[in-house]
Amino acid sequence: MGNQKLYKGSLQTIILKLLETNDKMYGYEITQHVKELTKGELQITEGALYPALHKLEADGLLAVEVAKVGNRLRKYYKLTESGTKETANKLEEMQEFLKTMQHLVNPKFSME
Amino acid sequence: MGNQKLYKGSLQTIILKLLETNDKMYGYEITQHVKELTKGELQITEGALYPALHKLEADGLLAVEVAKVGNRLRKYYKLTESGTKETANKLEEMQEFLKTMQHLVNPKFSME
DNA sequence: TTTGATGCATAGAATTCTTAGGTATAAATA
DNA sequence: TATTTATACCTAAGAATTCTATGCATCAAA
């Protein structure tokens, strides 16, 4: 996932957030979407993405739907009910984390 | 380090930033300082902190100065010259990361 | 006098991601 | 038409970082 270790730990949250916004997506689509959204800053590697998707599925947060496009298959992922709840939790945690880090590294611009 | 994996990858930057602001600090002091600054949100564990300090020292970013206080010793760490430069780099990367993540998880509040 | 705070440290496990492959179809280009 | 690039899935081995669980020792407070 990119070259920056800062993103370590945030992949699940990123995936869940994308699926909250876009309803259903397939793996390759996610990598391209993130690349565009971040102007190339963040490149999710497939070696990180697919295991992450499988784990989210195994944990019951995502459901899969296989589609055939031409002669190739795509695996569309979407949030389950508990996935939607967990997404809300994870986004809250992420906001808290971002606020805390902002405060730590740049106290001037994060006064409350 | 707390229970949140989101902080994975940001420990070095946190340490460097603290030393940039406070000139010199010892390990235990760092844990307490972060705990206060984050109102308990982030608790750096010693099992994460000390190896991190040793690595930063080995990489030439920190210099150590042992002090005796009463009958106990403290190891004060401070930035070296290259440590100061690297701190600037890491803080820039962190700002970029925070901006990117904010944009990803909450596009509404991160328009430019 | 025993607990809690201070202060250092390491070893092993767990987690996450990177690197480096593998397979295959479709489109573009040389 | 042959080859490269893009699309689309996947996994295994290793690196890197952190957590959990220890250990040792001093000092203050209960």
Side-chain angles (χ1 to χ4, degrees), chain B residues 30-45:
Chain B
I30 291 175
T31 65
Q32 300 308 303
H33 211 84
V34 169
K35 199 166 149 189
E36 279 174 39
L37 278 174
T38 66
K39 293 161 192 162
E41 240 260 316
L42 177 52
Q43 309 229 10
I44 299 179
T45 63

Side-chain angles (χ1 to χ4, degrees), chain A residues 11 14-45 49 76, chain B residues 100 103-105 107:
Chain A
L11 179 55
I14 292 171
I15 294 171
L16 293 174
K17 168 62 185 175
L18 285 178
L19 288 172
E20 190 195 50
T21 304
N22 298 2
D23 192 49
K24 77 176 187 184
M25 300 182 84
Y26 57 99
Y28 187 77
E29 189 183 12
I30 291 176
T31 65
Q32 300 308 304
H33 210 85
V34 169
K35 199 167 151 190
E36 278 175 39
L37 278 175
T38 66
K39 292 159 193 163
E41 240 260 315
L42 176 53
Q43 307 229 12
I44 299 178
T45 62
L49 178 69
Y76 280 98
Chain B
T100 299
H103 183 62
L104 275 178
V105 302

Side-chain angles (χ1 to χ4, degrees), chain B residues 59-111:
Chain B
D59 290 348
L61 305 184
L62 298 186
V64 192
E65 183 192 323
V66 179
K68 238 190 155 185
V69 178
N71 231 347
R72 264 189 302 203
L73 56 81
R74 282 181 192 164
K75 292 176 82 171
Y76 280 97
Y77 290 90
K78 64 187 314 178
L79 294 176
T80 61
E81 203 171 325
S82 80
T84 302
K85 286 178 197 161
E86 188 57 21
T87 300
N89 292 338
K90 284 208 185 293
L91 286 177
E92 240 180 90
E93 280 175 23
M94 177 59 77
Q95 285 297 353
E96 190 65 28
F97 162 70
L98 292 176
K99 203 169 106 183
T100 299
M101 280 307 306
Q102 191 60 248
H103 183 62
L104 275 178
V105 302
N106 208 346
K108 286 174 272 181
F109 299 141
S110 60
M111 301 295 188

Side-chain angles (χ1 to χ4, degrees), chain A residues 1-2 7-11 45 47-48 71-72:
Chain A
M1 171 169 191
Y7 290 92
K8 236 174 211 276
S10 47
L11 179 55
T45 62
N71 231 347
R72 265 191 300 206

Side-chain angles (χ1 to χ4, degrees), chain A residues 33-98:
Chain A
H33 210 85
V34 169
K35 199 167 151 190
E36 278 175 39
L37 278 175
T38 66
K39 292 159 193 163
E41 240 260 315
L42 176 53
Q43 307 229 12
I44 299 178
T45 62
E46 298 180 326
L49 178 69
Y50 290 112
L53 286 173
H54 299 161
K55 182 174 186 347
L56 288 170
E57 186 194 351
D59 290 346
L61 306 184
L62 299 186
V64 192
E65 183 192 320
V66 179
K68 236 188 158 185
V69 177
N71 231 347
R72 265 191 300 206
L73 56 81
R74 281 181 191 165
K75 291 175 82 172
Y76 280 98
Y77 289 89
K78 64 188 309 179
L79 295 176
T80 61
E81 203 171 326
S82 80
T84 301
K85 286 180 197 161
E86 189 57 21
T87 300
N89 292 337
K90 285 209 184 295
L91 285 176
E92 241 180 89
E93 280 173 24
M94 177 59 76
Q95 286 297 352
E96 190 65 28
F97 162 70
L98 293 176

